[in-house]
Amino acid sequence: MVTKTHRQAEGSPILKLAHMLIGGEVPAHTGVPFESAENATGIVQLVQRVGHDTGQRPMVLTAGRTGSLGVGSLNKALQEALNPGDTKFRLGDPVMMTRNDHDRGLMNGMTGRIVSLGKKVVCDFEGKLYELPPGYVNFFDLAYAMTIHRSQGSDRDAQ
């Protein structure tokens, strides 16, 4: 069991929140807004409410990739609620690179948004537009939600 955290400053509200969650406590007075949800539907409702109230889509972080609250389930549920359609990737979807492409300057973990779909896929990564071949979507994952591990070191803005 991990007992000492080196990534956050000692007084970090995130650190306090993490310790409360690990200890089974409902987080309170951490300086970090906290709301719980028991399933993907609850997360979708929370994201829609926060998005409506703030005008921005909040970052959704989860502990793992699988299960009802895993990144796979949450990305599907959030995509259907926020950007409905019948294709795997859709205009406006937030995406994350899953491989490095040194020739284009795209790195594993970078997040962006699909701005055009057609003969080429155009994505905005960090304010720069990239024209990519259609098969390039195989190098993407949806990024409505991501694992906590994957988000470390990310400067991702709400999208």
Side-chain angles (χ1 to χ4, degrees):
M1 172 179 229
V2 176
T3 58
K4 185 165 182 161
T5 303
H6 296 278
R7 285 188 177 256
Q8 288 88 18
E10 192 63 39
S12 168
I14 299 293
L15 183 59
K16 183 177 180 182
L17 177 69
H19 285 293
M20 292 174 92
L21 289 169
I22 290 167
E25 295 179 56
V26 174
H29 312 296
T30 62
V32 176
F34 179 84
E35 295 191 44
S36 64
E38 309 241 342
N39 54 41
T41 301
I43 296 292
V44 167
Q45 291 170 347
L46 179 61
V47 166
Q48 288 173 322
R49 191 185 80 230
V50 170
H52 178 266
D53 292 349
T54 66
Q56 295 184 356
R57 185 178 60 81
M59 181 183 290
V60 176
L61 301 178
T62 188
R65 296 193 55 78
T66 60
S68 63
L69 288 174
V71 74
S73 296
L74 291 177
N75 272 323
K76 285 180 184 176
L78 288 163
Q79 182 190 44
E80 282 307 312
L82 302 174
N83 195 13
D86 58 4
T87 57
K88 181 177 179 181
F89 292 102
R90 304 166 192 165
L91 184 64
D93 277 343
V95 293
M96 178 187 296
M97 289 293 301
T98 58
R99 297 184 188 168
N100 290 331
D101 182 344
H102 294 283
D103 293 337
R104 288 187 172 92
L106 294 170
M107 300 297 135
N108 185 15
M110 288 177 72
T111 57
R113 179 172 302 283
I114 296 174
V115 297
S116 177
L117 288 168
K119 289 187 179 186
K120 293 198 179 226
V121 176
V122 179
C123 291
D124 180 338
F125 285 98
E126 300 178 358
K128 184 176 176 187
L129 295 180
Y130 293 84
E131 285 190 15
L132 308 165
Y136 208 85
V137 295
N138 294 322
F139 300 156
F140 297 157
D141 275 341
L142 288 172
Y144 289 93
M146 67 177 79
T147 62
I148 295 164
H149 175 80
R150 196 76 146 127
S151 73
Q152 291 178 353
S154 173
D155 290 332
R156 182 176 169 268
D157 293 329
Q159 296 181 15

